[in-house]
Amino acid sequence: MNQNNSRKIVQLSHGGGGKEMNHLIKDLFFKAFDNPILRSEEDAAVLHFDGNLAFTTDSFTVSPLFFPGGDIGKLSIAGTVNDLAMMGAEPQYLSCSFIIEEGFEITHLKTIVESMANELKQSGARIVCGDTKVVPRGCADGIFINTSGVGRILRKGISVKNLASDDVIIVSRDVGRHGAAILMAREGLALESELTSDCATLWPIVEQLIAANIEIHAMRDATRGGLSAVLNEWACASNVEINVNEQAIPVCDEVRGLCELYGFEPLDLANEGTFILAVPKESADATLEIMKRFCHCEQAAVIGNVNDNRKGKVVLNTPWGSSRYLDLPQGELLPRIC
Amino acid sequence: MNQNNSRKIVQLSHGGGGKEMNHLIKDLFFKAFDNPILRSEEDAAVLHFDGNLAFTTDSFTVSPLFFPGGDIGKLSIAGTVNDLAMMGAEPQYLSCSFIIEEGFEITHLKTIVESMANELKQSGARIVCGDTKVVPRGCADGIFINTSGVGRILRKGISVKNLASDDVIIVSRDVGRHGAAILMAREGLALESELTSDCATLWPIVEQLIAANIEIHAMRDATRGGLSAVLNEWACASNVEINVNEQAIPVCDEVRGLCELYGFEPLDLANEGTFILAVPKESADATLEIMKRFCHCEQAAVIGNVNDNRKGKVVLNTPWGSSRYLDLPQGELLPRIC
């Protein structure tokens, strides 16, 4: 008997629509995600809404599946919950779809599912429908997870198009952690550093900002493409200049060191629990006060402002008094970071 | 220059969150799926609902990607639209998330996307949000597509739990085509036969049934696990016996032949545009009359009825006068059929 025979693994029959799939779904997924809507086992979940809702989707293919500060399960919940939160929507209902490679260990699947269930508690969102596919060995890399989500919009009008002259740009914490943590895990440097991904559910902070009636013009989590991608998208969509002070952007020493070593830009690196806001200048203090109540936002800072000069451009002022355009990232960034 | 250099292929940078990804999304996906909500480019689509909605998700991993009667694109739209339709919901808004293997040909991607756009027209549903991931060569098998969907429920109370004694069971057409077509394509038999998948959007028929006020107790498309899986799920969930006459179930000669050759059961084979209804006996004629207006439902037939005898069981009466329990399919069914 080789070692594999003593381990439980996912088999093709677990995705076949028959008895084995039913067992996997009921014994593992239903137990972890249990709620009355999921339990109803219809072709689709029945939900009730009156008014505007937000709807979003994300597929997660991160490698490695487990990394300092999180795993693909935590990421798949936080990522979609954050997309809803960034639209001023309460994350309520998620779908969850697994594509699993034949031979994937059930213990790993359990760990991932428990991690998902745990992260759901941060926002109160529930998984109400799902799907499981198993593909033969070599046709996927371990596991991919898609989550889609819906939630009622509590604050209307937050939009990439709503930045206005004299808004300030606030970042919630130090940038680049998720990308750097994945890089580190891949290069086998994890044990030499205490750097962890910023992967986190942002709804509790957003909920407080909405409750305090902060006027939020734009809000977005800086995932793939990092801070650079969000700022460029905003400058274009709102047709404004965003002027940013490089020195004001928090970057931790580990991320800075890794970037120097591997030739990355901290502002291009992905984050998974770091967000950017555009609020009117006069709301900056109140916004920061609320954000800093949350330990992962203790470094929240105003990093720049919005004006009408070079419309569509992001201008970065360096610590040496010069300035340059901060472009949209280009070329092969770190693949499979989310 | 080898042949690959002259072809356009998907590269890792197309999934990086930078310039290349923006081009792919805007030039290909936005053009094919264009609508005002998608164009808004927010983190999530904003939708308005008053009342009950259905929410569902499905990941598609079919192999081969192109098969007689469809491709993964058509399947990914019809599949999710059908899940909504089966709940009596109008398919309105879909999300769409691609996981693409590095090196996948852009021409194939275009064909798939056009196929999706075309299938959307069958129901009027729109893609309102999306996601694109690119994984390195060998980490996926060509392309996987997840679609999730929401739609308002026009007819309440359709449920796996609602079958009642004296209901009749109706199947919309001959069964097993999709599974058989995939098997055929894999075995290289496609040219020798005219068999095509039943892959189709079912909303137009369901819309007519709802408009005619047909009292539908349960309705489901017989996808993975085929007719056997649906009937067993219904018998269990509604705690009834479902009694089916094997001879009444339409199966075409090609499907029957392939099943004999490869040792499959037509009732276990997947369908992607074939559905089953439970309606009160007195509604059977009206239901069949409406269904037969649609050419792919010309063979719609009553195949059995519901009673209270052997609760939780599906009983199959054979043409030879004997009867047996029809079980949930088990073991390795055809993998990657959807």
Side-chain angles (χ1 to χ4, degrees):
Chain A
M1 296 267 292
N2 69 27
Q3 210 185 349
N4 276 328
N5 288 340
S6 60
R7 288 193 205 144
K8 282 195 181 172
I9 55 169
V10 174
Q11 297 172 325
L12 283 176
S13 57
H14 284 118
K19 270 191 188 167
E20 295 84 350
M21 190 170 93
N22 270 20
H23 285 159
L24 183 72
I25 291 175
K26 288 191 178 158
D27 293 349
L28 183 52
F29 302 145
F30 276 27
K31 271 190 190 156
F33 303 142
D34 187 50
N35 66 68
I37 304 173
L38 186 63
R39 242 180 286 135
S40 74
E41 292 183 58
E42 305 288 352
D43 256 1
V46 178
L47 312 173
H48 187 89
F49 276 97
D50 284 312
N52 283 338
L53 64 88
F55 177 33
T56 188
T57 190
D58 238 321
S59 283
F60 297 87
T61 63
V62 68
S63 168
L65 298 174
F66 301 90
F67 51 82
D71 59 37
I72 192 172
K74 179 177 182 178
L75 194 59
S76 70
I77 299 300
T80 290
V81 158
N82 289 348
D83 279 349
L84 294 172
M86 293 300 113
M87 292 295 289
E90 180 191 354
Q92 293 176 282
Y93 305 110
L94 303 189
S95 67
C96 162
S97 177
F98 296 100
I99 297 174
I100 311 173
E101 184 186 9
E102 179 191 18
F104 194 69
E105 288 194 32
I106 297 272
T107 53
H108 288 168
L109 185 59
K110 274 189 184 157
T111 306
I112 289 166
V113 165
E114 277 160 20
S115 178
M116 294 174 79
N118 201 47
E119 196 61 21
L120 284 166
K121 290 181 193 152
Q122 310 303 313
S123 65
R126 290 184 293 180
I127 288 176
V128 293
C129 55
D131 179 48
T132 308
K133 295 280 152 62
V134 179
V135 297
R137 278 174 210 271
C139 291
D141 189 21
I143 187 168
F144 300 142
I145 303 176
N146 176 281
T147 51
S148 302
V150 291
R152 67 189 164 134
I153 295 181
L154 299 185
R155 171 64 66 83
K156 285 187 193 176
I158 299 171
S159 167
V160 289
K161 299 188 182 72
N162 277 359
L163 279 87
S165 218
D166 282 345
D167 278 358
V168 293
I169 304 292
I170 292 175
V171 68
S172 69
R173 62 171 297 167
D174 60 315
V175 303
R177 279 182 165 262
H178 182 70
I182 294 293
L183 177 66
M184 211 174 61
R186 278 193 208 152
E187 301 289 324
L189 306 170
L191 293 173
E192 300 168 31
S193 162
E194 296 197 350
L195 180 68
T196 53
S197 164
D198 59 321
C199 181
T201 289
L202 296 170
W203 173 242
I205 313 170
V206 173
E207 192 178 23
Q208 291 294 312
L209 293 171
I210 292 173
N213 264 320
I214 300 290
E215 189 184 335
I216 303 164
H217 286 168
M219 180 158 63
R220 191 161 275 196
D221 50 341
T223 55
R224 271 185 294 179
L227 199 63
S228 307
V230 176
L231 294 176
N232 271 284
E233 207 176 332
W234 283 3
C236 266
S238 291
N239 200 28
V240 292
E241 172 185 325
I242 298 179
N243 195 291
V244 176
N245 294 315
E246 194 169 3
Q247 230 169 348
I249 303 169
V251 183
C252 74
D253 289 343
E254 283 107 331
V255 169
R256 209 179 287 280
L258 271 171
C259 279
E260 276 169 19
L261 201 57
Y262 289 91
F264 287 107
E265 265 295 330
L267 309 193
D268 291 355
L269 281 187
N271 310 276
E272 288 294 340
T274 302
F275 68 114
I276 313 171
L277 289 132
V279 299
K281 194 165 55 181
E282 52 278 14
S283 305
D285 289 345
T287 307
L288 287 172
E289 190 275 315
I290 292 167
M291 293 175 79
K292 288 182 177 187
R293 291 177 200 166
F294 294 83
C295 62
H296 56 103
C297 294
E298 275 171 359
Q299 290 187 75
V302 171
I303 60 167
N305 57 57
V306 179
N307 66 59
D308 280 331
N309 298 338
R310 285 157 289 193
K311 290 181 177 177
K313 294 290 183 189
V314 180
V315 177
L316 189 74
N317 303 303
T318 72
W320 304 278
S322 64
S323 70
R324 63 174 175 94
Y325 289 137
L326 179 68
D327 279 328
L328 200 60
Q330 194 169 359
E332 277 200 27
L333 302 166
L334 219 49
R336 294 186 67 189
I337 44 85
C338 59
Chain B
M1 297 266 293
N2 69 27
Q3 210 187 349
N4 275 328
N5 287 340
S6 61
R7 289 192 204 146
K8 281 195 180 171
I9 56 169
V10 174
Q11 298 172 325
L12 283 177
S13 58
H14 284 119
K19 270 188 187 169
E20 296 84 351
M21 191 170 93
N22 270 20
H23 285 160
L24 183 71
I25 290 174
K26 287 191 180 159
D27 294 348
L28 182 53
F29 302 145
F30 277 26
K31 271 189 192 157
F33 304 141
D34 188 50
N35 65 67
I37 305 173
L38 186 65
R39 241 180 285 136
S40 73
E41 293 184 57
E42 306 288 352
D43 256 359
V46 178
L47 312 174
H48 188 88
F49 276 96
D50 283 313
N52 283 337
L53 66 87
F55 177 32
T56 188
T57 190
D58 239 321
S59 283
F60 297 87
T61 64
V62 68
S63 169
L65 298 173
F66 301 91
F67 51 82
D71 58 38
I72 191 172
K74 179 177 183 179
L75 194 60
S76 71
I77 299 301
T80 290
V81 158
N82 289 349
D83 279 349
L84 294 173
M86 293 300 113
M87 292 294 290
E90 180 190 354
Q92 292 177 283
Y93 305 110
L94 303 190
S95 67
C96 162
S97 178
F98 296 101
I99 298 174
I100 310 173
E101 185 185 9
E102 179 192 15
F104 193 69
E105 289 194 32
I106 298 272
T107 53
H108 288 170
L109 184 59
K110 275 188 183 157
T111 306
I112 289 166
V113 164
E114 279 161 19
S115 176
M116 294 173 79
N118 200 48
E119 196 62 21
L120 284 165
K121 290 180 194 151
Q122 310 303 315
S123 65
R126 292 184 292 181
I127 288 176
V128 293
C129 56
D131 180 47
T132 309
K133 295 281 153 60
V134 180
V135 297
R137 278 174 210 271
C139 292
D141 189 21
I143 188 169
F144 300 143
I145 304 176
N146 176 281
T147 50
S148 302
V150 290
R152 66 187 164 133
I153 295 181
L154 300 185
R155 169 65 67 82
K156 285 187 193 176
I158 298 171
S159 166
V160 290
K161 298 188 183 71
N162 277 358
L163 278 88
S165 219
D166 281 344
D167 278 357
V168 294
I169 304 292
I170 293 175
V171 68
S172 69
R173 62 171 297 168
D174 59 316
V175 303
R177 281 184 163 260
H178 182 71
I182 294 293
L183 177 66
M184 211 175 62
R186 279 193 208 149
E187 301 289 323
L189 307 172
L191 293 174
E192 299 167 33
S193 161
E194 296 197 347
L195 179 69
T196 54
S197 164
D198 59 321
C199 181
T201 289
L202 296 171
W203 174 241
I205 314 172
V206 174
E207 194 178 21
Q208 292 294 314
L209 293 171
I210 292 174
N213 264 321
I214 299 289
E215 189 184 337
I216 304 165
H217 286 168
M219 180 159 61
R220 191 160 276 195
D221 50 340
T223 56
R224 271 185 294 179
L227 197 65
S228 307
V230 176
L231 293 177
N232 271 284
E233 208 176 331
W234 281 4
C236 265
S238 292
N239 200 29
V240 292
E241 172 185 325
I242 298 179
N243 196 291
V244 177
N245 294 315
E246 194 169 4
Q247 230 171 348
I249 304 170
V251 183
C252 75
D253 290 343
E254 283 106 331
V255 169
R256 208 179 288 280
L258 271 169
C259 279
E260 277 169 19
L261 201 57
Y262 289 91
F264 286 107
E265 263 295 329
L267 309 193
D268 290 356
L269 281 187
N271 310 275
E272 287 294 341
T274 302
F275 68 114
I276 313 171
L277 290 132
V279 299
K281 194 166 53 180
E282 52 278 15
S283 304
D285 289 344
T287 307
L288 287 173
E289 189 277 314
I290 292 168
M291 293 176 78
K292 289 184 175 184
R293 292 178 200 167
F294 294 83
C295 62
H296 54 102
C297 293
E298 276 171 358
Q299 290 187 73
V302 171
I303 59 167
N305 57 57
V306 179
N307 65 59
D308 279 331
N309 299 339
R310 285 157 290 192
K311 290 182 176 176
K313 293 289 181 189
V314 180
V315 177
L316 189 74
N317 305 304
T318 71
W320 304 278
S322 64
S323 70
R324 62 174 176 95
Y325 288 138
L326 180 67
D327 279 329
L328 201 59
Q330 194 169 359
E332 276 201 25
L333 301 168
L334 221 48
R336 294 186 67 190
I337 44 86
C338 60

